[in-house]
Amino acid sequence: MNSARWVPFSLLLAGSPIVSAHANPAPLDEVRLAQCMLENTTSDEESVFKDVMVAALRDDNDALKVSLDQLSTVMMDLALTKCEVALSALATPQFQTAAGLYGQQVGEKLMKKAFEKLN
């Protein structure tokens, strides 16, 4: 999946004065951050992913927009509160990559659970 689709808030943060004040954030380890976010994902976060998936499958653009906004909030919250990422790092390409990896991994996990229910 395209990480830009999972992280629509990154463009909004790029022009933020808070982010601009920290022009040189420490580089992120994308794989490590994605793993940290995954390890801290609860059923509440998974529910947000499910909402995104259902809205996308139903071609419900309004619900998809709302769900993607909620998903962005979930990812930012996990990164900031559970994985010790600085606010300034949220606007970096490394965070976008990590968010894409995280989204892919959670999506695969949810699909695996869904298919297990079919057996």
Side-chain angles (χ1 to χ4, degrees):
M1 292 191 169
N2 184 341
S3 63
R5 184 169 175 101
W6 287 105
V7 192
F9 60 88
S10 293
L11 295 176
L12 296 173
L13 287 175
S16 168
I18 295 171
V19 174
S20 299
H22 298 86
N24 295 318
L28 291 176
D29 180 336
E30 296 99 337
V31 174
R32 191 169 135 215
L33 176 56
Q35 186 61 38
C36 176
M37 292 167 66
L38 188 61
E39 289 169 358
N40 288 285
T41 297
T42 66
S43 59
D44 291 338
E45 287 89 13
E46 286 182 358
S47 291
V48 174
F49 271 91
K50 290 176 186 178
D51 292 343
V52 169
M53 295 167 89
V54 169
L57 290 171
R58 290 187 175 171
D59 292 324
D60 185 343
N61 291 330
D62 293 334
L64 183 58
K65 182 180 179 338
V66 170
S67 298
L68 285 172
D69 288 344
Q70 292 171 342
L71 182 58
S72 297
T73 300
V74 162
M75 285 194 247
M76 287 188 301
D77 184 58
L78 283 171
L80 293 170
T81 63
K82 303 293 184 184
C83 301
E84 301 179 8
V85 170
L87 179 62
S88 60
L90 297 179
T92 65
Q94 293 84 7
F95 181 75
Q96 289 183 7
T97 299
L101 290 170
Y102 170 70
Q104 181 179 356
Q105 292 171 356
V106 173
E108 290 171 359
K109 178 181 173 183
L110 293 175
M111 290 303 295
K112 181 179 178 185
K113 284 182 179 180
F115 282 109
E116 286 173 354
K117 291 178 182 180
L118 296 174
N119 293 326

